[in-house]
């Protein structure tokens, strides 16, 4: 090595994923239940997914072989969305590329699609997965949400 190799590698090493953590938007102080399925082959992941994932809103993540979070997404139906990654139609597209690197799928349920959206945004900003959800130009744009409540 060049005398600084181990320090340089440690500096650039991505943080190992330990769980999504507490949801700041939930009134509960506990972290939501995280479900994980793993496999070295796509067929193993797909079978485990079919056996364990429900059609509920939530957020999901994908871990690579080193246990690092590489992608975060959300869905109004976790089972449907996650199984869509295994479709032959998307094998050559971005979802196929993500799945080729994936060794574990993780997910947590959310009470609604809106709650899943908030959680996804929080997780992307917290974990900074290697494969971003948003295109670079879209990621730089500021977003604003306004809610109006009328009382009679």
């Amino acid at each position: 090595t060049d005398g600084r190799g181990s320090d340089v590698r440690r500096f650039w090493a991505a943080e190992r994923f330990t769980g999504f953590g507490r949801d700041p938007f939930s009134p509960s102080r506990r972290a939501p239940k995280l479900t994980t399925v793993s496999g070295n082959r796509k067929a193993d992941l797909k079978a485990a997914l079919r056996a364990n994932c429900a059609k509920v809103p939530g957020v999901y993540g994908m871990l690579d072989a080193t246990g690092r979070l590489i992608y975060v997404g959300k869905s109004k139906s976790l089972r449907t969305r996650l199984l869509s990654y295994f479709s032959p139609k998307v094998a050559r597209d971005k979802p196929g590329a993500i799945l080729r690197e994936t060794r574990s799928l993780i997910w947590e349920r959310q009470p609604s699609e809106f709650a899943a959206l908030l959680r996804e945004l929080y997780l992307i900003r917290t974990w900074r997965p290697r494969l971003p959800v948003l295109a670079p130009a879209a990621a730089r744009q500021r977003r604003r949400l306004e809610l109006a409540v009328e009382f009679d």
Side-chain angles (χ1 to χ4, degrees):
T1 68
D2 60 3
R4 61 186 175 113
S6 62
D7 292 336
V8 172
R9 278 192 302 272
R10 189 175 7 196
F11 178 75
W12 291 108
E15 188 175 343
R16 188 168 175 82
F17 182 76
T18 57
F20 285 147
R22 193 177 87 69
D23 185 347
F25 306 109
S26 172
S28 171
R29 296 224 181 249
R30 291 180 285 167
K33 181 183 178 223
L34 193 65
T35 305
T36 305
V37 295
S38 299
N40 288 325
R41 299 176 340 166
K42 281 174 47 173
D44 297 337
L45 284 171
K46 187 175 181 180
L49 187 60
R50 283 183 190 259
N52 295 293
C53 192
K55 292 181 179 180
V56 295
V59 293
Y60 61 92
M62 298 184 179
L63 305 177
D64 66 10
T66 63
R68 291 185 176 84
L69 188 65
I70 58 172
Y71 188 80
V72 172
K74 58 116 176 83
S75 179
K76 62 183 176 181
S77 175
L78 283 170
R79 180 183 169 101
T80 303
R81 177 65 182 123
L82 288 172
L83 285 174
S84 76
Y85 282 95
F86 296 90
S87 167
K89 292 181 200 175
V90 300
R92 292 189 183 135
D93 296 335
K94 181 181 174 184
I98 294 169
L99 192 60
R100 280 191 289 280
E101 293 188 43
T102 300
R103 294 299 172 265
S104 295
L105 293 167
I106 54 169
W107 65 87
E108 68 181 31
R109 294 177 177 207
Q110 290 291 315
S112 68
E113 186 178 3
F114 183 68
L117 172 66
L118 291 176
R119 183 69 164 151
E120 176 197 32
L121 292 173
Y122 175 78
L123 293 172
I124 289 169
R125 290 177 190 250
T126 302
W127 283 96
R128 300 279 184 199
R130 186 166 50 85
L131 302 173
V133 175
L134 302 171
R140 288 190 299 267
Q141 293 177 352
R142 289 260 190 231
R143 303 255 194 279
R144 189 170 87 190
L145 174 67
E146 294 182 31
L147 298 175
V149 179
E150 291 186 27
F151 296 97
D152 292 328

